Amino acid sequence: MSALSTFLSGAISLACAVVALFFMRFWRTTRDSFFIWFALSFALEAIGRGASAFLQLPDGNPAFYGLRVIAYGLIIAAIWQKNRR
């Protein structure tokens, strides 16, 4: 894995963490569970991308697909729960 690829994975990880913090802030003000689901999803994505950068694994490594499936599943669950009412 090249230095640029590692740097970009770290930057994406940081961006996901910042987005997770924004969703946590929105959840604290509204107490809408939609925002907590999204915050958890982006936190998982940040952890996966950060681990990929830290361990210097390629971005397409199958070891991190499970985290991504769970993160995207949380987004789908949030949308489903929001539209169920």
PDB file of all heavy atoms in Angstrom, residues 4 14 27 62 64 68:
ATOM      1  N   LEU A   4       0.493   7.459  -0.266  1.00  0.00           N
ATOM      2  CA  LEU A   4      -0.664   8.288  -0.612  1.00  0.00           C
ATOM      3  C   LEU A   4      -1.968   7.560  -0.299  1.00  0.00           C
ATOM      4  O   LEU A   4      -2.909   8.151   0.243  1.00  0.00           O
ATOM      5  CB  LEU A   4      -0.623   8.681  -2.093  1.00  0.00           C
ATOM      6  CG  LEU A   4      -1.792   9.531  -2.578  1.00  0.00           C
ATOM      7  CD1 LEU A   4      -1.824  10.861  -1.834  1.00  0.00           C
ATOM      8  CD2 LEU A   4      -1.711   9.735  -4.066  1.00  0.00           C
ATOM      9  N   LEU A  14     -10.958   9.900   9.192  1.00  0.00           N
ATOM     10  CA  LEU A  14     -11.196  11.110   9.984  1.00  0.00           C
ATOM     11  C   LEU A  14     -12.491  11.792   9.569  1.00  0.00           C
ATOM     12  O   LEU A  14     -13.265  12.249  10.424  1.00  0.00           O
ATOM     13  CB  LEU A  14     -10.024  12.076   9.836  1.00  0.00           C
ATOM     14  CG  LEU A  14     -10.132  13.389  10.600  1.00  0.00           C
ATOM     15  CD1 LEU A  14     -10.150  13.128  12.096  1.00  0.00           C
ATOM     16  CD2 LEU A  14      -8.993  14.304  10.235  1.00  0.00           C
ATOM     17  N   TRP A  27     -28.513  14.112  17.206  1.00  0.00           N
ATOM     18  CA  TRP A  27     -29.294  13.208  18.039  1.00  0.00           C
ATOM     19  C   TRP A  27     -29.494  13.797  19.428  1.00  0.00           C
ATOM     20  O   TRP A  27     -30.578  13.680  20.002  1.00  0.00           O
ATOM     21  CB  TRP A  27     -28.601  11.847  18.136  1.00  0.00           C
ATOM     22  CG  TRP A  27     -29.276  10.946  19.108  1.00  0.00           C
ATOM     23  CD1 TRP A  27     -30.452  10.271  18.923  1.00  0.00           C
ATOM     24  CD2 TRP A  27     -28.850  10.638  20.429  1.00  0.00           C
ATOM     25  NE1 TRP A  27     -30.778   9.560  20.046  1.00  0.00           N
ATOM     26  CE2 TRP A  27     -29.796   9.767  21.000  1.00  0.00           C
ATOM     27  CE3 TRP A  27     -27.751  11.013  21.193  1.00  0.00           C
ATOM     28  CZ2 TRP A  27     -29.676   9.271  22.277  1.00  0.00           C
ATOM     29  CZ3 TRP A  27     -27.633  10.507  22.473  1.00  0.00           C
ATOM     30  CH2 TRP A  27     -28.585   9.651  23.000  1.00  0.00           C
ATOM     31  N   PRO A  62     -10.977  -8.123   1.910  1.00  0.00           N
ATOM     32  CA  PRO A  62     -12.253  -8.704   2.355  1.00  0.00           C
ATOM     33  C   PRO A  62     -12.444  -8.711   3.867  1.00  0.00           C
ATOM     34  O   PRO A  62     -13.565  -8.874   4.338  1.00  0.00           O
ATOM     35  CB  PRO A  62     -12.220 -10.137   1.825  1.00  0.00           C
ATOM     36  CG  PRO A  62     -11.054 -10.256   0.956  1.00  0.00           C
ATOM     37  CD  PRO A  62     -10.177  -9.073   1.155  1.00  0.00           C
ATOM     38  N   PHE A  64     -12.508  -6.333   5.883  1.00  0.00           N
ATOM     39  CA  PHE A  64     -13.293  -5.188   6.355  1.00  0.00           C
ATOM     40  C   PHE A  64     -14.661  -5.088   5.693  1.00  0.00           C
ATOM     41  O   PHE A  64     -15.418  -4.170   5.975  1.00  0.00           O
ATOM     42  CB  PHE A  64     -12.504  -3.896   6.151  1.00  0.00           C
ATOM     43  CG  PHE A  64     -11.262  -3.851   6.990  1.00  0.00           C
ATOM     44  CD1 PHE A  64     -10.024  -4.027   6.418  1.00  0.00           C
ATOM     45  CD2 PHE A  64     -11.348  -3.665   8.358  1.00  0.00           C
ATOM     46  CE1 PHE A  64      -8.883  -4.008   7.188  1.00  0.00           C
ATOM     47  CE2 PHE A  64     -10.207  -3.650   9.140  1.00  0.00           C
ATOM     48  CZ  PHE A  64      -8.974  -3.823   8.556  1.00  0.00           C
ATOM     49  N   ARG A  68     -18.381  -3.007   6.791  1.00  0.00           N
ATOM     50  CA  ARG A  68     -19.131  -2.166   5.846  1.00  0.00           C
ATOM     51  C   ARG A  68     -20.552  -2.658   5.673  1.00  0.00           C
ATOM     52  O   ARG A  68     -21.487  -1.851   5.584  1.00  0.00           O
ATOM     53  CB  ARG A  68     -18.406  -2.128   4.508  1.00  0.00           C
ATOM     54  CG  ARG A  68     -17.131  -1.334   4.585  1.00  0.00           C
ATOM     55  CD  ARG A  68     -16.435  -1.269   3.272  1.00  0.00           C
ATOM     56  NE  ARG A  68     -15.154  -0.585   3.435  1.00  0.00           N
ATOM     57  CZ  ARG A  68     -14.199  -0.606   2.557  1.00  0.00           C
ATOM     58  NH1 ARG A  68     -14.348  -1.276   1.434  1.00  0.00           N
ATOM     59  NH2 ARG A  68     -13.068   0.045   2.777  1.00  0.00           N
TER      60      ARG A  68
END
